[in-house]
Amino acid sequence: MHIRLLLVLGFTLLVAATATSSALAGADVNVDVRVEGKTRTLYGATESSLAPAQGTLQAAGGGTVELTTPNVLGALEAASLAGEFAYNLKLF
């Protein structure tokens, strides 16, 4: 659990730094994503660069999340669509 939290925090910082520098430069945002499963890499073993998703995501149990700027959740959503793995989004 602690390792996942550290990975998510590290990934968030990476996306934030990339998004900030790219937004200031006026360029499209692409990030490198690697998603690890328990026994194998789910996404990003070979090609990992993608643009974070934007739009509305439906959360499990109801509710929505608006992705209006590039962020870590948008990168995870784009990787899940490209890598054909699933995740559950829950709002607390």
Side-chain angles (χ1 to χ4, degrees), residues 67-79:
L67 301 175
T68 57
T69 59
N71 60 46
V72 69
L73 184 56
L76 180 65
E77 176 67 9

Side-chain angles (χ1 to χ4, degrees), residues 5-92:
L5 179 59
L6 289 174
L7 289 174
V8 169
L9 289 175
F11 185 68
T12 302
L13 291 174
L14 173 67
V15 170
T18 303
T20 301
S21 63
S22 294
L24 291 175
D28 291 333
V29 175
N30 279 338
V31 295
D32 288 330
V33 179
R34 184 176 180 120
V35 180
E36 295 288 336
K38 187 174 181 178
T39 59
R40 65 181 180 91
T41 300
L42 301 176
Y43 179 81
T46 56
E47 187 173 334
S48 62
S49 183
L50 52 76
Q54 293 187 333
T56 303
L57 297 181
Q58 296 293 323
T64 61
V65 175
E66 292 292 328
L67 301 175
T68 57
T69 59
N71 60 46
V72 69
L73 184 56
L76 180 65
E77 176 67 9
S80 75
L81 295 172
E84 299 179 355
F85 67 90
Y87 70 96
N88 290 319
L89 175 63
K90 293 184 181 181
L91 301 179
F92 294 94

